[in-house]
Amino acid sequence: MTKGNINVSVENIFPLIKKFLYSDHEIFLRELISNATDATLKLKHLANIGDAKVEYGNPQIEVKIDKDNKKLHIIDQGLGMTAEEVEKYINQVAFSGAEEFLDKYKDSAKDSGIIGHFGLGFYSAFMVAEKVEIITKSYTDEPAAHWTCDGSPEFTLEPSEKTERGSEIILHIAEDSTEFLEESRIRELLNKYNKFMPIPIKFGTKEVNDPEHEPKTTKDKDGKETTEPHRQITVDNIINNPNPAWTKQPSDLKDEDYSGFYRELYPMQFEEPLFNIHLNVDYPFNLTGILYFPKMTNDLNIQKDKIQLYQNQVFVTDNVEGIVPEFLTMLRGVIDSPDIPLNVSRSYLQADGAVKKISSYITRKVADKLKSLFNNNREDFEAKWNDIKIVIEYGMLSEEKFFEKADAFALYPTVDGKYYTYEELYNKIKAKQTDKDDKLVILYTSDKDAQHSYIEAAKAKDYEVLLLDSPIVSHLIQKLESTKEKISFARVDGDHIDNLIKKDDTTISKLDEDQKKNLDELLKEVIPSEKFMVQLEAMDSNASPFIITQPEFMRRMKEMQQTGGGGMFGMGNMPEMYNLIVNTNSELVGEILNTKTKKKQERLINQSLDLARLSQGLLKGEELTNFIKRSYDMIK
């Protein structure tokens, strides 16, 4: 038997491990199972290239709880260690035994899936255990070894009777960590971190129907049939799926495989995803994965953190910020890359060169997939537009490369349910919606019902009106106006339609200058100046007498501030201001001007103003009650 001190560069590594190595103590199980997986994959590789004269077989990793004796066992059938290797890899705290292995077999081991972080991970066991044992037998003919350490730098190493290849780690669970002796807690951790590990993981047994036994059906004398029950057999309970969908080639998967894997990832999610994107790249970095577009709403506070990040099928985190572009954090699915380090801070990750490349690759891949979905089945893409537009619009705003590619698939729907790409829209409206200054004016509404009368006025002139109703639309049109040449967006209720798209021909007013001055004074006496800016306009005599609009710039800045951005303009605290456009050619306006009594003039002005406010949804509470009462009085 050998005794000695573990060769570490600090006096005592164990308190440090307990305190600083990982903030989350539950990680120990992930680390130990990763090591067991490593040992098994190494053996597989050596067997494949003929370096190990052993049968690889169908090895598995077993996790066992011994609650009475307060022990947790992790058992593998991997390549095991000799006493000399235990001395080297465990006692000298080699930071990565896998690194040396990969270096030795660098050409042939490149794609073997070896995780490559054996070493300190083993010591995470001391976060939850007061004593740790390793009983291990190498795949070579060397005797088995038994190593014990009680959390001080002292260890013992002696021969063992173990006859089967592989390693067994025994954790004597500490008093403050007895939660890890509960079956439900261990199952929860295995599901969280090891659900897709590449080696089968056994945790207990379960009863299943015997596939060899076909239950017999018999008839009694009355002809009544009775079927005997299924015969039950006990089998190993394998808790993981070693071959998840993302590890396979897209050509080997059908639609039902993708939707089945989605349910495996999110068992509580009942809605099917709209479509998926299979990621598969091996240069200039390794990355595989499947991303799903779930049904979206206009809610920007949608739950993120649904994409799971893996390193060689080991779960790392579901906070993928900085790895996945922010606009795609609303998606779901899995990303797996051996190039992403396992145990580092987020700031390190975000500054990492490989991670930045991964982020821009994912952006490009998503854009390419959206373009092909649009090209292959435009009708289906249009039908899904409302469920995915928030992600695409957010991407256009936040990622320049995505914005450039989005011209090929971003859609601009009209109030009549037609969908145009930007180029199609431009060609469709260019002839009619270019104003006298040769600027193309794109009309839009954010609410078809609330802005109905304005939409109708635009349609009467054969103009197209887009329906843009997502919460970030103000930001998006600002971006489009600054990148596309000679265009501007105008919401249909921003002004009278003739002012929104100014043509050369101007309508002549029926009122002379004196009449206009009198009318202006009369209106300003009755209409509250803190809410409405009165503008006299000569318009078609059939147009509404009073039209309420809100200046595009003011309204847009307020909206942008509400969804983040635009704050520097200080619009958020400004009172709501509206323009009141009064049609000087309207018969009713002429009547207001020519009415002899002040009282009747005021009543006509208030009634007309309230009708205009009603059409904009601005008449509420007491004012609405008074309007209704006044209207009944007028009918009487």
Side-chain angles (χ1 to χ4, degrees):
M1 174 169 132
T2 311
K3 278 191 176 186
N5 271 18
I6 291 168
N7 174 21
V8 287
S9 55
V10 286
E11 168 95 14
N12 190 345
I13 198 169
F14 298 106
L16 289 175
I17 284 168
K18 201 140 189 146
K19 198 168 176 188
F20 300 118
L21 182 61
Y22 300 103
S23 55
D24 215 343
H25 285 188
E26 66 180 38
I27 295 286
F28 83 93
L29 194 61
R30 178 189 85 177
E31 295 296 316
L32 295 178
I33 290 179
S34 296
N35 290 344
T37 303
D38 248 1
T40 313
L41 290 172
K42 284 176 187 171
L43 183 76
K44 182 181 186 179
H45 182 68
L46 294 179
N48 284 347
I49 62 170
D51 261 31
K53 305 289 183 278
V54 287
E55 275 296 313
Y56 177 67
N58 297 302
Q60 61 182 32
I61 294 163
E62 183 177 7
V63 179
K64 268 196 321 199
I65 297 171
D66 176 355
K67 200 168 179 178
D68 293 341
N69 295 306
K70 294 188 178 170
K71 290 195 285 192
L72 182 68
H73 301 248
I74 292 105
I75 305 158
D76 71 58
Q77 295 159 4
L79 55 94
M81 288 183 283
T82 62
E84 196 182 328
E85 285 166 336
V86 171
E87 179 77 48
K88 180 177 178 183
Y89 292 128
I90 303 299
N91 295 343
Q92 293 177 20
V93 192
F95 273 75
S96 180
E99 246 169 54
E100 188 182 307
F101 181 88
L102 287 172
D103 196 47
K104 185 175 174 186
Y105 297 101
K106 58 176 169 278
D107 295 327
S108 61
K110 208 164 46 211
D111 303 315
S112 61
I114 289 155
I115 289 157
H117 65 137
F118 182 81
L120 257 189
F122 164 73
Y123 281 95
S124 64
F126 286 97
M127 295 191 297
V128 301
E130 58 191 19
K131 183 166 96 172
V132 179
E133 299 178 66
I134 305 172
I135 303 169
T136 180
K137 177 160 173 59
S138 169
Y139 69 97
T140 60
D141 280 338
E142 297 282 323
H146 184 177
W147 178 92
T148 311
C149 180
D150 63 0
S152 71
E154 291 168 10
F155 69 89
T156 62
L157 181 60
E158 54 193 337
S160 157
E161 299 300 310
K162 183 173 166 68
T163 54
E164 284 140 16
R165 177 192 75 220
S167 299
E168 177 173 5
I169 314 285
I170 304 166
L171 276 62
H172 297 257
I173 299 296
E175 281 306 320
D176 62 359
S177 299
T178 53
E179 62 183 287
F180 301 113
L181 292 168
E182 298 301 326
E183 194 176 313
S184 58
R185 181 73 170 118
I186 296 298
R187 186 181 292 108
E188 176 202 339
L189 294 184
L190 293 172
N191 261 314
K192 179 175 176 179
Y193 293 109
N194 308 103
K195 195 174 180 177
F196 300 112
M197 293 291 272
I199 305 296
I201 299 167
K202 175 189 172 185
F203 185 54
T205 57
K206 61 182 178 182
E207 298 289 312
V208 295
N209 292 337
D210 183 355
E212 306 282 303
H213 172 245
E214 194 59 50
K216 290 193 182 110
T217 302
T218 52
K219 284 184 183 176
D220 62 14
K221 59 181 188 304
D222 300 324
K224 191 180 172 189
E225 289 189 347
T226 310
T227 305
E228 66 178 335
H230 274 280
R231 191 163 65 207
Q232 297 278 293
I233 55 168
T234 303
V235 295
D236 290 348
N237 179 33
I238 303 297
I239 58 94
N240 60 325
N241 171 2
N243 303 299
W246 85 80
T247 61
K248 299 171 184 172
Q249 288 300 316
S251 54
D252 296 337
L253 296 167
K254 298 186 176 73
D255 287 347
E256 54 264 35
D257 297 317
Y258 286 111
S259 54
F261 181 57
Y262 185 74
R263 282 191 294 275
E264 207 176 328
L265 284 173
Y266 310 107
M268 301 312 289
Q269 188 62 40
F270 302 112
E271 265 190 339
E272 286 290 307
L274 298 168
F275 47 80
N276 63 72
I277 297 169
H278 197 130
L279 306 166
N280 197 344
V281 65
D282 51 20
Y283 181 81
F285 47 80
N286 283 291
L287 177 88
T288 51
I290 300 170
L291 295 179
Y292 293 91
F293 266 77
K295 266 194 157 183
M296 299 285 178
T297 62
N298 271 351
D299 182 8
L300 275 175
N301 300 317
I302 196 159
Q303 194 181 356
K304 297 183 181 182
D305 295 346
K306 285 285 190 182
I307 296 176
Q308 299 174 10
L309 178 67
Y310 287 77
Q311 191 215 60
N312 285 321
Q313 293 173 243
V314 185
F315 176 78
V316 180
T317 180
D318 53 12
N319 175 359
V320 292
E321 202 183 316
I323 298 158
V324 171
E326 196 189 349
F327 79 101
L328 294 176
T329 56
M330 294 185 248
L331 302 190
R332 297 186 175 158
V334 162
I335 289 169
D336 189 330
S337 174
D339 296 329
I340 292 172
L342 260 188
N343 304 311
V344 290
S345 68
R346 304 229 53 79
S347 55
Y348 174 88
L349 262 186
Q350 285 158 15
D352 187 72
V355 170
K356 280 187 177 146
K357 284 187 194 136
I358 286 169
S359 178
S360 59
Y361 165 77
I362 293 169
T363 300
R364 191 176 77 243
K365 188 77 179 172
V366 169
D368 292 346
K369 175 73 173 186
L370 290 166
K371 184 180 175 182
S372 79
L373 286 165
F374 173 73
N375 291 341
N376 295 340
N377 190 344
R378 178 166 181 162
E379 205 178 315
D380 183 56
F381 193 84
E382 287 179 0
K384 288 171 177 167
W385 177 253
N386 266 342
D387 292 313
I388 61 173
K389 67 183 178 195
I390 194 82
V391 176
I392 293 171
E393 289 171 356
Y394 192 14
M396 288 168 75
L397 275 174
S398 57
E399 295 281 332
E400 207 51 49
K401 288 270 189 319
F402 188 80
F403 180 80
E404 289 161 19
K405 284 178 169 277
D407 259 357
F409 54 78
L411 293 178
Y412 299 87
T414 71
V415 288
D416 301 319
K418 295 193 197 94
Y419 290 85
Y420 296 112
T421 62
Y422 181 79
E423 191 182 354
E424 290 164 352
L425 178 70
Y426 184 88
N427 293 331
K428 176 86 170 63
I429 67 175
K430 185 171 55 177
K432 286 193 173 140
Q433 289 179 225
T434 302
D435 68 9
K436 62 185 176 62
D437 300 319
D438 202 30
K439 191 175 237 189
L440 182 73
V441 180
I442 301 169
L443 300 173
Y444 73 100
T445 176
S446 59
D447 188 325
K448 249 181 6 179
D449 294 333
Q451 293 148 23
H452 183 264
S453 61
Y454 300 92
I455 295 167
E456 290 306 303
K459 284 168 81 171
K461 290 187 172 286
D462 209 16
Y463 294 158
E464 286 283 1
V465 180
L466 301 182
L467 175 59
L468 303 177
D469 59 358
S470 78
I472 53 174
V473 81
S474 306
H475 297 272
L476 184 63
I477 61 183
Q478 201 82 355
K479 168 95 175 162
L480 290 162
E481 285 173 344
S482 63
T483 48
K484 309 280 185 193
E485 280 187 20
K486 296 189 86 168
I487 67 152
S488 74
F489 281 77
R491 202 166 87 176
V492 283
D493 59 343
D495 205 334
H496 181 259
I497 190 65
D498 292 339
N499 290 337
L500 291 176
I501 305 178
K502 280 197 159 105
K503 302 288 186 178
D504 282 330
D505 49 330
T506 49
T507 308
I508 294 162
S509 177
K510 289 179 181 176
L511 304 183
D512 61 29
E513 290 307 311
D514 284 347
Q515 286 174 308
K516 279 198 241 177
K517 193 179 173 203
N518 290 344
L519 177 64
D520 192 46
E521 285 170 3
L522 182 60
L523 291 166
K524 283 177 178 167
E525 281 174 27
V526 181
I527 290 162
S529 60
E530 71 279 5
K531 285 187 183 170
F532 297 100
M533 204 127 85
V534 177
Q535 283 172 234
L536 302 184
E537 299 266 353
M539 297 185 291
D540 193 293
S541 58
N542 294 325
S544 299
F546 281 31
I547 300 169
I548 292 173
T549 65
Q550 193 172 19
E552 178 76 19
F553 174 78
M554 300 276 286
R555 194 205 69 251
R556 206 189 285 183
M557 286 305 151
K558 278 183 83 76
E559 284 173 0
M560 284 170 74
Q561 192 182 49
Q562 280 158 12
T563 53
M568 68 188 105
F569 297 103
M571 299 287 166
N573 305 322
M574 280 186 68
E576 290 282 358
M577 274 295 286
Y578 295 92
N579 292 336
L580 176 66
I581 300 168
V582 178
N583 181 3
T584 59
N585 290 343
S586 157
E587 207 176 311
L588 177 63
V589 172
E591 194 183 322
I592 289 169
L593 190 60
N594 297 323
T595 295
K596 298 290 177 249
T597 69
K598 208 68 164 169
K599 201 169 178 190
K600 190 179 177 188
Q601 275 180 329
E602 281 181 18
R603 201 171 71 226
L604 284 172
I605 291 168
N606 280 324
Q607 191 70 1
S608 304
L609 175 63
D610 281 355
L611 281 164
R613 291 166 82 194
L614 192 65
S615 75
Q616 273 280 47
L618 296 173
L619 201 58
K620 296 184 175 85
E622 188 182 351
E623 291 174 323
L624 178 59
T625 308
N626 292 341
F627 167 75
I628 293 166
K629 187 172 180 300
R630 192 190 323 125
S631 300
Y632 279 131
D633 290 344
M634 288 172 87
I635 295 167
K636 281 190 288 190

